[in-house]
Amino acid sequence: MAHPVSPQAQHETCVTLAGIGTALPPNKLPQSMAQDYARALLGKRYTHFERLAPAFENAGVDMRHLVQPVAWYEQDRGWAERGAAYMQTAPLLFIDAAQAALADANCRADQVDVVVTVTSTGIATPTLEAQAFKAMGFRTDVQRVPLFGLGCAGGVTGLALARRLAAARPDQTVLMVAVEACSLSFRTDRLQKADIIATVLFGDGAAAAVLKSGTRQDTGAITLGDGQEHIWPDTLGIMGWDVDENGLGVVFDRSIPTFVQENFREAMLGMLGRACLPLDAIDRFVCHPGGAKVLEAIESTMHLPEGSLDAERDTLRAAGNMSAPTALFVLDRVLKSGKTGQMALCALGPGFTASLLPVRVAS
């Protein structure tokens, strides 16, 4: 039910989602081919590979996109080669996603006041928005806010931070870009179960969003609320990176679906409460698809109809888990489907952390 807006509220600063853009690298890898490559590269070294091989068929992934040709991953790589590949490819993904979002918002790069850049799969100093500065055409006084280490939660947390930056001043335009090259951390030397599961699930991609602040009467149809986070104590070992001389090694604990089943609902209720949103006010949860089992756990613990997270499964099927950008891919699908009402954009990431951002789509 629509509620009347008070004269005071009409003049409060609110933030509109003006545009979304997504980008995928050009190298496609069907899941069946990924399984064949993984078996050839890892099967003889990892004695339990065949026991884990059915995960390729059960993961809900049909295709993923890679920043490098498949042959690049056949050799062992060190920090220098992985870093060089990131510096070569991540800025291009940044530019593609950012330009798509700006075009969707009917906005120019020189109108952007703040750029928030999210990544966890490579290190760039100067950071990616600086690497892309000339090609993008940002102003010389653009403010830069790079965020590292948020992992799969980065798209939602980064968008929530961008929203707060936009709300801090009237007439601000904030561009948030999440770029991940997960495949560059493919390891043939560690041979841990988490490395096999990463090969099953993860792909590369980027997503961007343009946010604008203004008063209620001059904003558009999609408004963002105040983001919330919840971090669970003593959970550092659930998700993240191990760092060694050869690169980043994924930490992806098998307990994640069970942890979500047992803990996600309480955290979500707390975040919704702080956002002044009752659970029954949410018309659509828009979730980062960490994996098929995680989506099942979310549906179960939040008492959602089985299969209701269809856009999440479609995104996972088409591109795999791309870490931070993936939630925005899902949101883009939901918005393009014509869904309206009160939504809750959410994701889980290293920490172990849940992130929530209210998204209101006027009908």
Side-chain angles (χ1 to χ4, degrees):
M1 178 182 296
H3 298 282
V5 179
S6 68
Q8 181 181 0
Q10 287 181 344
H11 296 284
E12 292 176 356
T13 299
C14 66
V15 177
T16 299
L17 177 62
I20 294 181
T22 61
L24 293 167
N27 304 292
K28 295 183 179 181
L29 181 64
Q31 184 76 328
S32 59
M33 187 179 296
Q35 182 174 356
D36 292 341
Y37 271 104
R39 178 177 281 111
L41 294 173
L42 304 176
K44 294 181 180 179
R45 305 187 195 184
Y46 187 74
T47 56
H48 300 292
F49 179 85
E50 291 304 326
R51 183 169 60 84
L52 297 176
F56 283 92
E57 299 175 3
N58 302 328
V61 178
D62 291 343
M63 179 70 70
R64 82 280 306 278
H65 298 72
L66 310 178
V67 294
Q68 295 284 17
V70 174
W72 187 90
Y73 303 92
E74 296 175 359
Q75 302 179 27
D76 292 339
R77 304 286 180 177
W79 263 110
E81 288 177 293
R82 297 179 196 276
Y86 180 82
M87 291 297 292
Q88 177 188 23
T89 58
L92 299 178
L93 280 174
F94 179 107
I95 293 167
D96 287 347
Q99 289 180 338
L102 289 168
D104 190 43
N106 193 25
C107 182
R108 303 190 312 272
D110 62 5
Q111 294 174 311
V112 173
D113 301 298
V114 184
V115 182
V116 177
T117 304
V118 177
T119 190
S120 295
T121 49
I123 298 172
T125 303
T127 46
L128 293 180
E129 72 285 342
Q131 302 290 334
F133 174 83
K134 186 174 181 180
M136 287 297 304
F138 294 130
R139 299 197 313 265
T140 56
D141 65 343
V142 69
Q143 297 182 359
R144 299 161 49 206
V145 184
L147 302 177
F148 179 85
L150 296 171
C152 292
V156 179
T157 304
L159 195 60
L161 175 61
R163 183 262 173 201
R164 290 187 179 182
L165 292 171
R169 294 181 180 179
D171 302 319
Q172 285 282 287
T173 298
V174 179
L175 173 67
M176 193 283 288
V177 188
V179 180
E180 302 291 12
C182 303
S183 69
L184 296 180
S185 297
F186 173 68
R187 302 288 291 268
T188 58
D189 58 315
R190 293 200 326 162
L191 301 182
Q192 297 181 15
K193 182 179 178 180
D195 296 301
I196 306 296
I197 299 304
T199 305
V200 169
L201 281 176
F202 286 96
D204 304 334
V210 177
L211 282 59
K212 294 187 177 184
S213 61
T215 55
R216 286 187 180 270
Q217 61 261 40
D218 61 11
T219 54
I222 307 171
T223 54
L224 304 182
D226 195 20
Q228 306 293 329
E229 294 183 51
H230 178 93
I231 185 168
W232 287 276
D234 304 316
T235 57
L236 296 178
I238 288 183
M239 184 184 291
W241 290 124
D242 284 332
V243 183
D244 60 32
E245 63 274 11
N246 291 319
L248 302 172
V250 67
V251 176
F252 199 69
D253 196 273
R254 63 181 297 179
S255 69
I256 292 174
T258 302
F259 187 93
V260 171
Q261 178 70 51
E262 296 175 351
N263 298 281
F264 183 75
R265 182 181 178 87
E266 182 179 2
M268 181 59 64
L269 291 175
M271 291 188 291
L272 287 172
R274 293 194 296 276
C276 300
L277 286 171
L279 180 60
D280 61 8
I282 303 304
D283 299 302
R284 175 64 155 90
F285 283 93
V286 181
C287 304
H288 168 81
K293 291 183 178 179
V294 173
L295 291 175
E296 291 172 3
I298 292 174
E299 286 177 343
S300 174
T301 193
M302 297 307 298
H303 305 159
L304 303 176
E306 183 178 350
S308 60
L309 300 180
D310 52 350
E312 288 81 351
R313 288 183 171 86
D314 290 343
T315 299
L316 187 67
R317 190 175 300 112
N321 181 348
M322 297 166 281
S323 191
T326 321
L328 273 75
F329 275 75
V330 177
L331 179 61
D332 190 39
R333 280 182 182 267
V334 171
L335 294 176
K336 286 179 178 176
S337 74
K339 182 71 176 177
T340 61
Q342 182 62 60
M343 303 183 193
L345 181 65
C346 53
L348 295 161
F352 191 57
T353 300
S355 185
L356 166 76
L357 181 66
V359 179
R360 179 77 184 175
V361 183
S363 56

